[in-house]
Amino acid sequence: MANKRKKVRLVLKTKVKIFFKEKIVSDPDIYLMGLSASLIANEAKPGQFIHIKCSKDNYPLLRRPLSIHRIDKEKGEIYILFQVVGEGTKLLAQKEVGDNLDVLGPIGNGFNIYPESKKIMIVGGGIGVAPLLALCEGSIRQEKEVRVLIGALKKELVIEEENFRNLGAKVDVATDDGSYQYKGLVTDLLERVIKEGWLADQIFACGPKPMLKKINEIALKANIDYQVSLEERMGCGIGACLGCVCKIKTKGKKEEKVKYEYKRVCVDGPIFEGSEVVWDD
Amino acid sequence: MANKRKKVRLVLKTKVKIFFKEKIVSDPDIYLMGLSASLIANEAKPGQFIHIKCSKDNYPLLRRPLSIHRIDKEKGEIYILFQVVGEGTKLLAQKEVGDNLDVLGPIGNGFNIYPESKKIMIVGGGIGVAPLLALCEGSIRQEKEVRVLIGALKKELVIEEENFRNLGAKVDVATDDGSYQYKGLVTDLLERVIKEGWLADQIFACGPKPMLKKINEIALKANIDYQVSLEERMGCGIGACLGCVCKIKTKGKKEEKVKYEYKRVCVDGPIFEGSEVVWDD
Amino acid sequence: MIDKPNLEVEIAGIKLKNPVMTASGTFGYGEEFSPFIDLDKLGAMVLKGITLNPKMGNPPPRVIETPSGMLNAIGLQNVGVEALIKEKLSQLQKYHTPVIINISGDTIDEYIKIAKRLDEVSESKKIAGLEINISCPNVKKGGMLWGTNARSTYKVVNQIRKITKLPLIVKLSPNVTDIKEIAHSAEEAGADAISLINTLAGMAIDINSARPKLANIHGGLSGPAVKPVALWMVWQVYQTVKIPIIGIGGIMKAEDAIEFIIAGARAVQVGTANLVNPEAPIEVIEGIKEYLAEKQIDDINKLTGSLII
Amino acid sequence: MIDKPNLEVEIAGIKLKNPVMTASGTFGYGEEFSPFIDLDKLGAMVLKGITLNPKMGNPPPRVIETPSGMLNAIGLQNVGVEALIKEKLSQLQKYHTPVIINISGDTIDEYIKIAKRLDEVSESKKIAGLEINISCPNVKKGGMLWGTNARSTYKVVNQIRKITKLPLIVKLSPNVTDIKEIAHSAEEAGADAISLINTLAGMAIDINSARPKLANIHGGLSGPAVKPVALWMVWQVYQTVKIPIIGIGGIMKAEDAIEFIIAGARAVQVGTANLVNPEAPIEVIEGIKEYLAEKQIDDINKLTGSLII
Ligand SMILES: Cc1cc2nc3c(=O)[nH]c(=O)nc-3n(C[C@H](O)[C@H](O)[C@H](O)COP(=O)(O)OP(=O)(O)OC[C@H]3O[C@@H](n4cnc5c(N)ncnc54)[C@H](O)[C@@H]3O)c2cc1C
Ligand SMILES: Cc1cc2nc3c(=O)[nH]c(=O)nc-3n(C[C@H](O)[C@H](O)[C@H](O)COP(=O)(O)OP(=O)(O)OC[C@H]3O[C@@H](n4cnc5c(N)ncnc54)[C@H](O)[C@@H]3O)c2cc1C
Ligand SMILES: Cc1cc2nc3c(=O)[nH]c(=O)nc-3n(C[C@H](O)[C@H](O)[C@H](O)COP(=O)(O)O)c2cc1C
Ligand SMILES: Cc1cc2nc3c(=O)[nH]c(=O)nc-3n(C[C@H](O)[C@H](O)[C@H](O)COP(=O)(O)O)c2cc1C
Ligand code: FES
Ligand code: FES
């Protein structure tokens, strides 16, 4: 409870100015956007997100959640990396440098990097890399040895590879069509890396659900601690509407019939232990 | 019927480009906008309007009717003059030169200048001058002697005075606060002009309902033919939804109980004989 | 590779070249739209609601805008059944699209008189069918009464059924507790098809004058705002009746129409969209074609009720 | 010159410093909003709907967006009345804003047990009143049943009335044929106030998967899209009952709230707006103040039902 209340108290509603905008991939369109948001940058930790009002009016009505892609506490800046999939992200992509955004944030629990961990494995699929760059930077600042595996459909859709590398991580890429580096799924690549004997103390992942689920099996088998960033349709983004839930196992409550409960992705997550997530759907 | 069908057949749905935009008055904000619309310009006559989709989405949903302010058939251009009063006109005011507008038009019957008329009196109140400049130009092209009376709250809100004058009309202005020329209502000014002996063959007016109603009494007394441009909330703008009606006397149908019927402002109007309008509301 | 999927559907014995009709009251008497679209491309035309005698309708303002929707209180202004037959229907003879007449009455007797009269001229004037409006929320004595009660729905539909062989489409009001019950009694009474929804009763107030924005105080809500309500009712009715359903409510694009068809509609009607974009019905037809081709569905009829739950 | 108009209103014997409450289910258990607004500025807080035992709620997706609105199918996930009392209410003791508990039940017995329990602790936990949800459209057995029938409405309200002195607000469902009838029986049964509307039943379909967008298939429509429907029902109920009315439905700004008050509402609830803008209720309060000052109305109570027709 206390823990949760603390999280809630850190959330801010602010207007932040767009100081940078670049289209880094076309069709699907993916944008990188820089926001002057000193208050948020100051509070933010890897794995958290901001909740953005993309329109001035009712169309779309609800905010849209986007992960914090990079955090620059010194400059008081954060970055978001987003793919245009519908009305909200389309409107967001139409905003220009100098425009203000109405955002809530930073929201969520964030990734938990254990002090004792030495080797960190980060796996991102598609736009799922969004929250992972900040995580990579954080891990390296804590002097972890970091490897990053990026999965994409094809070469053109591999994003942020260089940025991870520049942070000092070893980066490998898997493309479904083999148009770049390893041909196949990023999960196959992960298994290979493990087979080769590089055993991480923690695996962190974000991407399509099937990928996250598969990694859970791999992590379980290799018995590596695994944290995932989950997504769900959101309403409030602040824990009030119970709209964004996911199935989480209820540990130790043997007496109960149901073996899971619904937890809120927005404030109980978006980061969960892979082992506590009910993957069956 | 035939007459109406003809009108309908002339209406077009087209995309027109904004080639000119100027804010000519502030608070209330009034804009002058030029549209490259050769097809519409070609068909248009004074008193008609265009029906504009101000938003790309459902917000606002319906089109907004705006009078054709000026018609340049040679250049294939039309102008609109509009006041920002709500969401639709606000969005329209945000459009820039080069943007396209989705419009229906030209719509409506338009003013009817009789060949035999020698002297034309044009009275505009506030933004009501919008459809009257084209009318003034048309009258002068037909070598009528034209006088224009403009009514406004104060000096700053007197619009288009010079443009009427440049067309060759004699222009007088009435301001409620007397900050410019005649102090009082434009209807008082009209009565004075008539008293002074300048008797028009036709009076044309557009503006607030009370003004239009008062002019009707004046015209009746002086027994001058009088045409008004009416406004009503609109749906389709093409005569289909019956949303835009006004009360029009049913002449010669003595037997009926009701002495009026509902006519569509969009296609039966927006121009009506002052004498046929039921003013009591 | 399917590039020419079948769009033909049959509703109440009426063969439509495609499932897209125009909704009553939003398409005038048809002719109004001939400058914008080829009326022969439509699945069917449903004309403005008609009454026995001409109706003046309500005082203005009659239409106002609401978030993603509009309220209307036209009050069924129309030329009356005789003028409809003489003038309006004559104009439409040159077209090959089925014409459906939407009828309203204050009394059963009035419904019957209109239906009888239209039945008489159905051959000569090429009337494809009748849509019985038991749901227009704007006319105090009429519509509302019938459509919001299962027994009265049965009564009026059954009486009309007795006096005409014309295909009967019964148009339901959404302002009811249990749409299934009403739909069921319409079917029992002999309806050949059901169309829904009509408008939701609503109101808006001008806070500066403290007056209703509509002269009639309340009106009927339509447009995208009502689509979720309409879809849910169509799906419920699809579980209930065997006769075909015509889905109506907030259809602006093909995607909306497809939602209704998946929910159980055999055909759809485009309403408010006509007021915004007179080409909407044609765009919906084209969009449905593209969807079927893309999904490689060879027959639109296979889409009806294909919701996976 | 009136610059400090009176905003105080009394609902069901509860004194509110202003007429703006938060709507159940959109404001969590209150604390969630303390980072954004001063809870002491609110007229009242209505907490997330509570049931006797904890409820898991529906599978996701639970919320999806519709034109100018949203559909939700939370399924009344809540901690149960005991945890509410122990944890949630304790957190709220430090605030001075009346707390109203929204209760739901699958059986009358359940309603009664919750009401009894809350009645017991009403002093110690500073419970200002109960809002009886007889209208939540997401729980199959619960809400819908009671709120869509006048007799069952009377029954449940009357039974609860008998076992508690707490102010009773009965929250009505809009998914009914005649809202006046339901409101009337609630009043007859001893309700101290009526709140409306709850959500309209609705549905949305993903045409690519041909599946419902909500795991629960259908959900409750809320937001600006429903405002016209809500306003019309408030105005109708205002003609029918003597007890105060709380207007709910699509209130995003002060202007919306003022429409409801003019239509007959003594107070209002801000719902979906909280999900979009956590500061919405405060902005609504400020906006109402400005309106009263501008219109030189010295008391908000004079605005209630001031519609000019
Ligand atoms: C915690 C969190 C962090 C996220 N971070 C990022 C990010 O960094 N970059 C990024 O590109 N996207 C991110 N997403 C997904 C992003 O929120 C959605 O793509 C966006 O809300 C879609 O809005 P829209 O209006 O453009 O599309 P809509 O029209 O709302 O929907 C279009 C499609 O997107 C899907 N979608 C909509 N909302 C969500 C949602 N909340 N979660 C998952 N899928 C959704 C819908 O199922 C639909 O198929 C994140 C989601 C969550 C929950
Ligand atoms: C035939 C015709 C010609 C017109 N020509 C012009 C013109 O040349 N220049 C100009 O500035 N305005 C003109 N108007 C009025 C103009 O259409 C409205 O001001 C505009 O539609 C308001 O839209 P909105 O979304 O900005 O305001 P809304 O938010 O829709 O409404 C704001 C205010 O404007 C009023 N209003 C809205 N629609 C209309 C309407 N159709 N008629 C009258 N009042 C309305 C409302 O009552 C409300 O008080 C004309 C109206 C008609 C019917
Ligand atoms: C201006 C207007 C007039 C209407 N007139 C009628 C009518 O005469 N008879 C009828 O059955 N329905 C009438 N309707 C209801 C529509 O046919 C349709 O059922 C409703 O608008 C919902 O569909 P939509 O959201 O696509 O508009 C009218 C709707 C509008 C907007
Ligand atoms: C996410 C969500 C959850 C809700 N939960 C409840 C509830 O538990 N009990 C209840 O009586 N109403 C509930 N409602 C209905 C709202 O209280 C309100 O009546 C409705 O949303 C209409 O108001 P609005 O348009 O301002 O949201 C809920 C609404 C939403 C959007
Ligand atoms: S989005 Fe409202 S609780 Fe998570
Ligand atoms: S606006 Fe539809 S008939 Fe005039």
Side-chain angles (χ1 to χ4, degrees):
Chain A
M1 243 2 257
N3 172 19
K4 182 193 144 218
R5 277 237 285 298
K6 188 160 135 300
K7 250 181 292 157
V8 174
R9 203 173 289 108
L10 295 172
V11 183
L12 307 156
K13 178 174 188 296
T14 50
K15 289 228 172 303
V16 300
K17 191 179 242 70
I18 301 171
F19 72 86
F20 173 87
K21 175 192 174 187
E22 188 191 347
K23 188 180 192 180
I24 62 169
V25 175
S26 288
D27 132 69
D29 295 353
I30 297 179
Y31 288 83
L32 180 65
M33 212 176 243
L35 309 172
S36 314
S38 49
L39 293 168
I40 293 177
N42 194 36
E43 298 287 353
K45 48 184 292 213
Q48 291 187 301
F49 66 95
I50 57 175
H51 211 27
I52 306 173
K53 184 76 173 101
C54 301
S55 71
K56 268 194 211 54
D57 53 33
N58 299 335
Y59 205 77
L61 179 66
L62 299 172
R63 291 171 181 272
R64 297 295 189 257
L66 292 179
S67 304
I68 297 172
H69 177 57
R70 270 173 54 194
I71 308 165
D72 187 331
K73 293 189 189 291
E74 291 65 34
K75 289 217 190 84
E77 299 169 347
I78 61 170
Y79 288 79
I80 52 176
L81 181 74
F82 64 94
Q83 179 168 343
V84 175
V85 296
E87 209 43 53
T89 45
K90 189 157 106 221
L91 283 176
L92 190 58
Q94 285 165 8
K95 305 266 189 213
E96 297 304 338
V97 169
D99 290 353
N100 278 315
L101 290 182
D102 169 0
V103 305
L104 303 181
I107 305 174
N109 52 0
F111 293 106
N112 187 352
I113 309 169
Y114 306 136
E116 61 274 21
S117 300
K118 294 191 176 48
K119 297 161 90 181
I120 301 288
M121 172 65 80
I122 295 174
V123 186
I127 190 68
V129 299
L132 301 177
L133 195 68
L135 171 67
C136 182
E137 191 167 5
S139 310
I140 283 176
R141 200 177 278 117
Q142 295 176 40
E143 281 140 3
K144 314 291 186 190
E145 178 187 354
V146 182
R147 283 189 69 162
V148 177
L149 307 184
I150 299 175
L153 286 168
K154 52 182 163 74
K155 190 173 195 303
E156 296 68 31
L157 301 183
V158 177
I159 39 184
E160 299 295 284
E161 179 186 5
E162 274 318 301
N163 294 333
F164 281 107
R165 197 163 283 131
N166 296 338
L167 289 170
K170 177 173 191 316
V171 184
D172 297 284
V173 178
T175 51
D176 297 17
D177 67 353
S179 53
Y180 185 63
Q181 294 193 13
Y182 180 84
K183 180 179 193 310
L185 298 173
V186 70
T187 46
D188 303 341
L189 181 55
L190 172 63
E191 279 180 310
R192 168 192 271 195
V193 170
I194 290 174
K195 208 176 281 103
E196 287 168 357
W198 198 86
L199 289 178
D201 302 296
Q202 289 184 269
I203 300 177
F204 298 93
C206 182
K209 202 129 189 199
M211 176 192 105
L212 299 179
K213 183 177 177 179
K214 177 70 175 149
I215 295 177
N216 187 56
E217 294 160 12
I218 297 171
L220 231 58
K221 198 143 51 60
N223 152 37
I224 302 173
D225 184 283
Y226 172 46
Q227 290 176 29
V228 293
S229 176
L230 294 184
E231 290 194 4
E232 193 42 74
R233 286 293 199 130
M234 288 196 175
C236 66
I238 58 174
C241 73
L242 304 176
C244 62
V245 299
C246 59
K247 279 188 188 175
I248 298 298
K249 291 174 190 152
T250 51
K251 329 188 182 71
K253 299 197 192 155
K254 291 272 168 292
E255 70 285 354
E256 282 181 22
K257 244 187 5 307
V258 288
K259 269 178 243 44
Y260 62 89
E261 64 186 329
Y262 288 116
K263 290 252 187 190
R264 300 160 299 181
V265 168
C266 66
V267 294
D268 300 323
I271 313 305
F272 294 93
E273 296 282 338
S275 57
E276 64 179 351
V277 175
V278 177
W279 291 103
D280 59 29
D281 50 355
Chain B
M1 234 13 250
N3 175 19
K4 182 194 139 215
R5 277 237 288 296
K6 187 160 136 300
K7 254 180 289 158
V8 175
R9 201 172 292 110
L10 295 172
V11 183
L12 308 155
K13 178 174 186 298
T14 50
K15 288 227 172 303
V16 299
K17 192 178 241 72
I18 302 170
F19 71 87
F20 173 85
K21 175 192 172 186
E22 189 192 346
K23 187 183 197 179
I24 62 169
V25 175
S26 289
D27 131 71
D29 294 354
I30 298 179
Y31 288 83
L32 179 65
M33 211 176 245
L35 310 173
S36 315
S38 49
L39 292 168
I40 292 176
N42 193 34
E43 297 287 354
K45 48 184 294 215
Q48 291 187 303
F49 67 95
I50 58 175
H51 210 27
I52 306 174
K53 183 75 171 105
C54 301
S55 71
K56 269 196 209 53
D57 53 34
N58 299 334
Y59 205 77
L61 180 65
L62 299 172
R63 291 171 181 270
R64 297 295 189 256
L66 293 179
S67 305
I68 298 173
H69 177 57
R70 271 174 54 195
I71 308 165
D72 186 331
K73 293 188 186 294
E74 291 65 35
K75 290 218 189 86
E77 298 169 348
I78 61 171
Y79 287 79
I80 52 176
L81 180 74
F82 65 94
Q83 179 168 340
V84 175
V85 296
E87 208 43 51
T89 45
K90 189 157 107 223
L91 283 176
L92 190 58
Q94 286 165 8
K95 304 263 189 222
E96 297 304 338
V97 169
D99 291 351
N100 278 317
L101 289 182
D102 168 359
V103 304
L104 303 180
I107 304 174
N109 53 0
F111 293 105
N112 187 351
I113 309 169
Y114 307 135
E116 60 274 23
S117 301
K118 294 192 176 46
K119 297 161 90 182
I120 301 289
M121 171 64 80
I122 295 175
V123 186
I127 191 67
V129 301
L132 302 177
L133 195 68
L135 171 67
C136 181
E137 191 167 6
S139 310
I140 281 173
R141 201 180 273 114
Q142 295 177 39
E143 280 139 4
K144 315 292 186 187
E145 178 187 353
V146 182
R147 282 191 70 163
V148 177
L149 306 184
I150 300 176
L153 287 168
K154 52 182 165 72
K155 191 173 193 301
E156 295 69 32
L157 302 182
V158 178
I159 39 183
E160 299 295 284
E161 177 187 6
E162 272 319 300
N163 294 333
F164 281 107
R165 199 165 279 128
N166 295 339
L167 289 171
K170 177 174 190 315
V171 184
D172 298 284
V173 178
T175 50
D176 297 18
D177 66 353
S179 53
Y180 186 62
Q181 293 194 13
Y182 181 85
K183 180 178 194 310
L185 297 173
V186 69
T187 46
D188 302 341
L189 182 56
L190 172 62
E191 277 181 310
R192 168 194 265 193
V193 171
I194 291 174
K195 210 174 282 105
E196 288 168 357
W198 199 86
L199 289 177
D201 302 297
Q202 288 184 271
I203 300 178
F204 299 95
C206 182
K209 204 131 191 201
M211 176 192 104
L212 300 178
K213 183 177 178 180
K214 176 68 175 151
I215 296 177
N216 187 55
E217 292 159 16
I218 298 171
L220 231 60
K221 200 142 51 58
N223 148 39
I224 301 173
D225 183 284
Y226 171 44
Q227 291 176 28
V228 292
S229 176
L230 294 185
E231 290 193 4
E232 192 43 73
R233 287 293 199 129
M234 287 194 176
C236 65
I238 59 173
C241 74
L242 304 177
C244 63
V245 299
C246 59
K247 280 188 186 174
I248 298 298
K249 291 175 190 151
T250 51
K251 329 187 184 69
K253 301 200 188 152
K254 288 276 166 294
E255 70 285 352
E256 284 180 21
K257 241 185 9 304
V258 288
K259 268 176 242 51
Y260 63 90
E261 64 186 328
Y262 289 116
K263 291 250 185 188
R264 300 162 298 182
V265 168
C266 67
V267 294
D268 300 325
I271 313 305
F272 293 93
E273 296 281 338
S275 56
E276 64 180 349
V277 174
V278 178
W279 292 103
D280 59 29
D281 51 355
Chain C
M1 238 313 282
I2 296 149
D3 54 358
K4 280 220 180 345
N6 171 53
L7 283 183
E8 279 178 34
V9 300
E10 186 171 321
I11 296 274
I14 312 166
K15 289 201 167 27
L16 313 179
K17 64 182 85 67
N18 65 63
V20 181
M21 316 179 168
T22 57
S24 179
T26 66
F27 202 68
Y29 296 105
E31 259 303 329
E32 293 87 340
F33 284 76
S34 58
F36 303 103
I37 62 173
D38 175 356
L39 298 182
D40 278 331
K41 288 208 170 127
L42 296 168
M45 289 185 262
V46 183
L47 307 188
K48 171 65 188 171
I50 203 81
T51 51
L52 189 57
N53 305 311
K55 241 188 186 333
M56 280 192 71
N58 294 326
R62 288 178 172 185
V63 294
I64 66 110
E65 184 149 351
T66 64
S68 296
M70 66 178 280
L71 285 166
N72 88 83
I74 307 302
L76 273 179
Q77 175 174 353
N78 76 92
V79 297
V81 71
E82 286 311 324
L84 173 85
I85 294 168
K86 263 192 239 64
E87 296 157 23
K88 309 299 184 182
L89 289 181
S90 307
Q91 291 174 30
L92 294 176
Q93 294 307 304
K94 55 177 172 298
Y95 300 108
H96 308 295
T97 295
V99 172
I100 293 165
I101 313 295
N102 176 281
I103 66 173
S104 290
D106 294 346
T107 63
I108 287 199
D109 183 54
E110 210 173 308
Y111 274 111
I112 303 229
K113 284 210 180 85
I114 306 171
K116 267 218 181 82
R117 188 71 183 95
L118 291 169
D119 186 85
E120 286 164 20
V121 299
S122 56
E123 294 294 322
S124 57
K125 295 295 185 179
K126 294 198 291 177
I127 297 170
L130 304 181
E131 181 176 61
I132 309 172
N133 175 12
I134 54 172
S135 50
C136 184
N138 297 336
V139 181
K140 265 146 239 66
K141 287 160 54 227
M144 210 45 173
L145 225 75
W146 307 113
T148 53
N149 172 297
R151 225 181 300 91
S152 56
T153 297
Y154 182 93
K155 201 157 161 222
V156 64
V157 175
N158 187 252
Q159 296 283 325
I160 299 172
R161 173 76 295 170
K162 287 195 181 116
I163 56 95
T164 178
K165 292 265 157 305
L166 278 169
L168 291 187
I169 301 163
V170 177
K171 183 169 182 179
L172 305 186
S173 165
N175 304 297
V176 297
T177 304
D178 183 359
I179 195 76
K180 301 187 295 309
E181 182 194 28
I182 312 279
H184 183 70
S185 48
E187 181 178 40
E188 291 283 296
D192 300 302
I194 281 171
S195 59
L196 74 166
I197 62 175
N198 207 311
T199 54
L200 277 163
M203 165 183 195
I205 295 171
D206 177 341
I207 64 169
N208 286 316
S209 64
R211 291 177 187 282
K213 284 188 174 178
L214 291 172
N216 188 55
I217 301 179
H218 73 291
L221 183 65
S222 66
V226 309
K227 195 182 74 172
V229 174
L231 264 177
W232 171 233
M233 290 190 165
V234 165
W235 170 246
Q236 285 176 289
V237 170
Y238 181 70
Q239 316 293 305
T240 312
V241 301
K242 281 163 214 62
I243 50 179
I245 296 163
I246 301 166
I248 320 170
I251 297 176
M252 308 300 282
K253 336 177 236 56
E255 290 78 358
D256 303 320
I258 292 161
E259 275 191 87
F260 276 94
I261 295 170
I262 291 173
R266 179 72 51 184
V268 297
Q269 289 180 12
V270 174
T272 297
N274 295 316
L275 312 192
V276 179
N277 170 17
E279 294 167 354
I282 304 302
E283 292 172 7
V284 170
I285 295 167
E286 290 311 311
I288 291 176
K289 272 188 209 157
E290 287 163 22
Y291 175 86
L292 292 176
E294 184 193 312
K295 294 276 175 189
Q296 287 295 292
I297 299 169
D298 62 355
D299 183 352
I300 182 75
N301 292 285
K302 291 182 180 168
L303 206 58
T304 295
S306 61
L307 185 70
I308 303 165
I309 55 171
Chain D
M1 237 319 278
I2 296 151
D3 53 0
K4 281 220 175 351
N6 170 55
L7 283 184
E8 279 177 32
V9 299
E10 186 171 323
I11 296 274
I14 311 166
K15 286 199 172 21
L16 313 179
K17 63 181 87 66
N18 64 64
V20 181
M21 315 177 167
T22 57
S24 180
T26 65
F27 201 67
Y29 296 105
E31 259 304 329
E32 293 88 340
F33 284 77
S34 59
F36 305 103
I37 61 174
D38 175 356
L39 299 182
D40 278 330
K41 287 211 173 121
L42 296 169
M45 290 186 261
V46 183
L47 306 188
K48 171 64 187 172
I50 202 83
T51 51
L52 189 57
N53 304 312
K55 241 186 181 341
M56 282 192 67
N58 294 325
R62 289 178 172 185
V63 294
I64 66 111
E65 184 150 352
T66 64
S68 297
M70 66 178 280
L71 285 167
N72 88 82
I74 307 301
L76 271 180
Q77 175 174 354
N78 76 93
V79 297
V81 70
E82 287 310 326
L84 173 85
I85 293 167
K86 263 193 242 57
E87 297 155 24
K88 309 300 183 183
L89 288 181
S90 308
Q91 290 173 31
L92 295 176
Q93 295 308 304
K94 56 178 172 295
Y95 301 107
H96 309 295
T97 295
V99 172
I100 293 165
I101 313 294
N102 177 280
I103 65 172
S104 291
D106 294 347
T107 63
I108 286 199
D109 183 54
E110 210 173 307
Y111 274 111
I112 297 204
K113 285 211 179 86
I114 307 170
K116 267 219 184 81
R117 186 71 182 97
L118 292 169
D119 186 86
E120 288 163 18
V121 300
S122 56
E123 294 294 323
S124 57
K125 296 294 185 181
K126 292 198 294 177
I127 297 170
L130 304 181
E131 181 176 62
I132 309 173
N133 177 12
I134 54 171
S135 51
C136 185
N138 296 336
V139 181
K140 265 147 239 64
K141 287 160 52 224
M144 210 48 173
L145 226 74
W146 307 113
T148 52
N149 173 297
R151 224 180 302 92
S152 56
T153 297
Y154 181 92
K155 203 160 158 219
V156 65
V157 175
N158 188 252
Q159 296 282 326
I160 299 173
R161 173 77 292 170
K162 287 194 182 118
I163 56 94
T164 178
K165 292 264 158 305
L166 279 169
L168 291 187
I169 301 163
V170 177
K171 184 169 180 180
L172 305 186
S173 165
N175 304 298
V176 297
T177 305
D178 183 0
I179 194 77
K180 301 189 291 315
E181 185 193 22
I182 312 280
H184 183 70
S185 47
E187 181 178 38
E188 290 284 297
D192 300 302
I194 281 172
S195 59
L196 73 167
I197 62 176
N198 207 312
T199 54
L200 277 164
M203 163 182 198
I205 295 171
D206 176 343
I207 65 170
N208 285 316
S209 64
R211 290 177 187 284
K213 285 187 174 178
L214 291 173
N216 187 55
I217 302 179
H218 73 291
L221 183 64
S222 65
V226 308
K227 195 182 74 170
V229 174
L231 263 177
W232 170 234
M233 289 190 165
V234 165
W235 170 245
Q236 284 175 289
V237 170
Y238 181 69
Q239 316 293 304
T240 311
V241 302
K242 281 164 215 60
I243 50 180
I245 297 163
I246 302 165
I248 320 169
I251 297 176
M252 308 300 283
K253 333 178 239 59
E255 290 77 358
D256 304 319
I258 291 161
E259 276 190 87
F260 276 93
I261 295 170
I262 291 173
R266 180 72 51 185
V268 297
Q269 288 179 15
V270 174
T272 297
N274 295 318
L275 312 192
V276 179
N277 171 17
E279 294 167 355
I282 303 302
E283 291 172 7
V284 170
I285 295 166
E286 289 311 313
I288 292 175
K289 273 188 209 156
E290 286 162 23
Y291 174 85
L292 293 176
E294 183 193 313
K295 294 276 176 189
Q296 288 296 291
I297 299 170
D298 61 355
D299 183 353
I300 183 74
N301 291 285
K302 290 182 180 168
L303 206 58
T304 295
S306 61
L307 185 71
I308 302 165
I309 55 171

